[in-house]
Amino acid sequence: MTYDAARGTWLLTTPDTRYLLRTDPDGSPRHVAWGTPEAVAAHADAGALTSPGNANSFAGDGVADELGIETGARFGPAGLQVRFADGTRGAQWGPAAHEISTGPDNSDGHLVIRLQDRRYPLSAELHYRVYQDTDVIERWTVLANDGHEPISVGRLDSAAWSLPRLTDYRMSHVVGGWNHEFQPRRGQVPVAETVFTSRRGLTGHQANPWLAIDDGTADEDRGAVWSTALAWSGSWRITLHRDPSDRVTWTGGFGHEGIGWTLAPGQSLATPVFAGLHTTGGFGGAARAWHDYVRRHVSPTPHEDRPVVYNSWEATGFAVDEAGQLRLAEAAAGIGIELFVLDDGWFGGRRDDTAGLGDWQPYPGAFPQGLEPLVEKVHQLGMRFGLWVEPEMVNADSDLYRAHPDWVVHTPNRDPTELRHQLMLNYGRADVAEWAHQWLDQLVREYGIDFLKWDANRAVTDAGWPGHPDPDRLWIDHTRAVYRIMDQLRADHPRLRIEACAGGGGRADLGVLARTDQVWTSDNTDPVDRLAIQHGFGMVFPAEVMAAWVTDSPNIATGRTTPLRFRFHVSMAGALGIGGKLTEWTPDELEEAAGFVAQYKRIRHVVQHGVLYRPSTEGRSTAVHYASADGAEHVVIAWRTATGFGLPQPLVRLSALDAEAEYYDVDRDVRISGAVARTGLEVELPGGDYGSALLHLRRV
Ligand code: DGJ
């Protein structure tokens, strides 16, 4: 990270990219260039003159602020919106100051640009962090009120990102809903403002705060891609602006329409990180770089093998009791499961989803002696014990709600909205957050819980905080409190592991992944649907955080019947788990399952810590290829959902193999030439629909 005083530019350096910015004469930090070292060097001398936002821009088109403000001839989305007590809006910055610091051995660099409004006691810090081991640039903003009167903050984005002029602009993102999260979408960026958002108080099933832009020519293996991801698990908004002069910027941060925050005198407000990445290796290269970043700088447990999980939800629903769970636990241990998770239904008066949420005591009708006997037995069987919780929610039919109706998010004089018969607790209130932390801590301590599946099955509606002078802050305060509680639990119980879940994959983002070990990817466990879901999930998130269960067939979501082998091969591409009714599986099925679990344990270091390639295939098939970091071991999984007469076996191009090397197929005892496999390895699938195969290769 360097500052060039003569040109007034800051240059951020990552291993393979550069990012150049400067302050314009009006005091606003402006983007100059972001891309390869060569591309950015071409801008170094010209600085602001060739940057977007130069003085010749007509009527403000093309202004590329590092953080858009509302003043001046700016007509794009403003990432900073403030109003002072006298009614004046927006900021006008004076001369910027800055500070550059570096971590031990230059492992990271941190630039802070300090801005002070020319006439009002408002200051902002734009933060940039780069690391020696990733091309991801982390950015965030801190706003402070240095005066004596409150300042109203309508919006405070983490960062705005800008692109060089491209021949065209294409956006890639994911959309979906419950049971069909992470569906990839790719299309031209319109000359318009395109808004990606969640208004739900959760990251959301419908969109994810990840966005990639290319010029329309990038593919899986080639091409320049600029992508960004926001580390936030509440409501968020990213506005992508392609203006008529064909410049593209996007600004993003927490909150949707507005954050409605009052910044009291002496207070500051810090945003979450909005991380950006430029890569030239296509969408596959971008995904690999994000996975690597998550492992190096986000995940609390990047080097740990994720255990093979058993989860009771699809098997027993709410009908859980000690005897039934013991039978499942025995069957689970018998096929090699390492972590047994008791899902919903174990507490309060919970027999279905209408009652009991909030009453976190074991249900005496189902667990007359509490959870101890089950926990003990699970531990005796050599498995860890995990428990489902939904700490942010309450049923109206619960002792908690009867005692504290004022604890829920609600608006006075408006009918409350129940979703899944539940209301949402307001963790913005210190007493509510403290209550949650207290019972969670006690639960983990008392029962020796190894794993929490932290669920959240409804969105925020009717957001209100009666009696609070600044009720809108609940949107941010709630998410921050969830983070604080998770962080505290982890600090106090170092062996505790947490799975993030929100009715499936409604809370998957870089913010929650900083304090959880995996994500429940989707309630949809149909293996065919899962292939698309897992593909979209993998755009940013690595395989070890992608929880994937094998469940019963026909699948409860789709009614589709698939072979056990196919179901396993789909789940073995992530963090394998089982969610079927094991007590009803035949001895043959259990034996087959045990074989796959054992095989997964032999390959999981490659799947969970390796590098993902999504090879091109032929013959109506898809495949993934995981390579160990040293290139010595490889796992290839191929699937074909529908066969056809005369279809040849799929040719899978393993371009990540070394053409000079030979590989040993561990399970088939044959040798494979790297050169041949690079042009296309014929993978033998069984006949019929839903054929799949897994290859485990070792470099000779
Ligand atoms: C939604 C989760 O995604 C499911 O796996 C399950 O835990 C249910 N909630 C329980 O209510």
Side-chain angles (χ1 to χ4, degrees), residues 171-175 182-187 196 207-208 210-212:
M171 58 194 183
S172 301
H173 57 117
V174 290
V175 301
F182 308 109
Q183 306 294 315
R185 289 286 181 277
R186 197 157 279 165
F196 306 85
N208 192 270
W210 165 80
L211 178 68

Side-chain angles (χ1 to χ4, degrees), residues 313 343-344 350 388 420 453 455 457 501 503-504 520 523 549:
W313 175 243
D343 208 279
D344 200 347
R350 184 88 162 161
W388 178 93
R420 209 195 189 205
K453 175 177 174 185
D455 203 348
N457 283 294
C501 172
W520 176 228
D523 275 348
W549 308 338

